[in-house]
Structures are given as structure tokens and as C-alpha cells.
Amino acid sequence: MSTPEAAAAAAPVKCAPSKNLNVGFPHFDTARELYAHLREITKPGGEYVVRNFVGVIEDISPEASLVETELFPRGALEYYTKKNMGWEYTEEECKQWQLSERGGAQGDYREGMQKKIANVIDCLRTEPLSKRAVIPIPFNSAGSATVDWTDQGQNKCCRELHLYLEDGKLKCTGIVRMQNANIFVKNIHFFATLIDHVAKELKVPSGSTLTGLPIFAMIVPQRAVDEDK
């Protein structure tokens, strides 16, 4: 005999009819491929700016989105993701992995993050067709009227994450600005972990390599940094 919980789990995910225009943008199988592209287009370095870049990652699973670099080995990526998710971490982890070169206040998203995540989960559980499942990143303790370009803590790399149910899956549109292209690997592992967490809470499919959870990200890396120097 099936239980109400089992019946709910077997029911198709309720999604709004939609037309997603991300089909017209560059698609990348994984975060690693997109990162290689970012490094290539920011190769001139210095103050060279790439604006209004748009890309779609097909497999946004956490493991596929873990891109190790010299600056960000696995331990550093997992530490910063844990921190930005608002999860507990140890003093030893902080001492081992926290570096100013890996991003300071601009890349610290943890304040209020658990409440923000709970809000989008409640939104999509209550109204699966909603367009209000948004995680804003800056201005955690003050409104946008207090905007100050000199305050690094306000000028977050990630601006907003818009989560929605489409094609039977959880998807996400991320709006991002980055001082350096090499910070991308830290951000994308956090995004992937957050999406995976919300998908599991909603009990919706997480997709596969070919039909995964696309994150349609508008990314503006200001300049590339040579990690070998």
C-alpha cells in the first residue's frame, strides 16, 4: 500500500509552461569547461574587462563542479562552500584554508544564508510555479539605499540566484560579478552545492551529465590572474 509521501514522490514535478532562451547561449558540459573558456577570454590580463558574459553549464552536480586549481585545491573549495552555506566548520579548517587571496568580504555569503535557502524551499514547495524563489546575496543587514562602492562587504561577487522548476528539474539563473576570473571555481562549487541541497529538500530530480541542472550564469570577470606567478 502506498503512503501519501510515496505518492507525492512519484507525482510529476509541477512546472510552469515556459520558453527558456538559454538555448541561444554558449553551453558547457561542466564547470571545468566554462572555467577554461573564462581563462581564455580574459587572457590579456591587467585591467582588461569582459562584460556581459553568459554561459550555461549542463551538469551542475557538486562533484562535476569541483574544479581544483593551484589557488583552490579541494580542501579550500569544500571549506569555502561549507562557510557560505552557513554550515559549521572548525577553527582548524579556517586556519588551513582561509586566505585573503581566495576572496575576502566580497566572497562571504554566509550571513542569513540558511534563512534564504529555507525561504526558496518553502516558496517552491508552496507554489511550484513561483518566480519568487530568489536568493539575494548583498545587503544582508541593511537595505540597498545604503549602497557604498567602497564597502567590499556590500559588493559581493554573487548578486542573486534565481531558482525555478522547469522540465521536471530544479534550475538556477545566477547573476555574478567577479574581480578575477580565478574566483569562479569557488563560486560555482558553492552554487552547485546549494542547488543540490534545495533539489534534495524538494525531492526533485538532480539530472545527469547530459540533462543536468543548468545554471544560466551572467558572469563578468574583471581580470584574469596568472596562478603560476
Side-chain angles (χ1 to χ4, degrees):
M1 181 178 297
S2 64
T3 64
E5 291 80 7
V13 179
K14 187 178 181 181
C15 303
S18 65
K19 180 178 182 179
N20 196 325
L21 299 180
N22 71 11
V23 296
F25 298 119
H27 283 237
F28 303 87
D29 288 341
T30 63
R32 183 178 300 280
E33 288 188 10
L34 193 153
Y35 179 59
H37 182 71
L38 287 181
R39 298 288 297 184
E40 180 64 27
I41 63 177
T42 58
K43 189 178 289 184
E47 294 300 324
Y48 184 80
V49 179
V50 175
R51 302 191 191 280
N52 301 322
F53 173 83
V54 180
V56 182
I57 300 175
E58 295 291 352
D59 183 358
I60 195 65
S61 62
E63 190 60 30
S65 302
L66 195 151
V67 184
E68 292 188 81
T69 65
E70 183 179 339
L71 182 61
F72 286 103
R74 176 183 283 267
L77 292 171
E78 292 177 341
Y79 160 71
Y80 278 101
T81 288
K82 189 185 298 186
K83 181 178 179 181
N84 282 329
M85 285 292 292
W87 294 339
E88 292 185 4
Y89 58 89
T90 67
E91 186 64 29
E92 290 72 22
E93 288 176 304
C94 182
K95 289 178 180 178
Q96 182 176 7
W97 302 116
Q98 186 84 36
L99 287 177
S100 59
E101 292 85 354
R102 291 176 176 146
Q106 292 181 102
D108 188 343
Y109 311 144
R110 60 185 163 167
E111 186 177 352
M113 184 53 67
Q114 283 295 299
K115 288 183 178 179
K116 295 174 186 180
I117 292 172
N119 179 64
V120 298
I121 292 170
D122 181 60
C123 174
L124 293 174
R125 275 180 178 159
T126 305
E127 180 45 77
L129 308 187
S130 180
K131 296 178 284 293
R132 297 181 183 179
V134 178
I135 295 181
I137 304 295
F139 307 110
N140 293 311
S141 56
S144 60
T146 66
V147 62
D148 179 359
W149 72 273
T150 67
D151 184 344
Q152 284 198 13
Q154 280 190 0
N155 292 279
K156 304 295 187 186
C157 293
C158 178
R159 310 306 293 174
E160 290 183 343
L161 297 175
H162 295 238
L163 290 94
Y164 51 96
L165 294 168
E166 183 180 76
D167 302 329
K169 306 179 183 72
L170 178 69
K171 299 185 181 181
C172 178
T173 296
I175 302 173
V176 184
R177 56 160 293 279
M178 287 184 292
Q179 180 71 9
N180 298 314
N182 63 356
I183 298 296
F184 168 79
V185 299
K186 180 178 79 168
N187 282 317
I188 200 64
H189 187 257
F190 162 63
F191 299 160
T193 301
L194 188 152
I195 294 166
D196 182 67
H197 174 77
V198 173
K200 287 176 178 175
E201 288 294 316
L202 294 174
K203 296 181 173 57
V204 299
S206 59
S208 65
T209 300
L210 295 178
T211 59
L213 309 178
I215 179 167
F216 160 34
M218 298 193 298
I219 304 168
V220 188
Q222 180 171 334
R223 63 175 183 267
V225 172
D226 189 344
E227 296 172 9
D228 298 326
K229 292 183 178 178

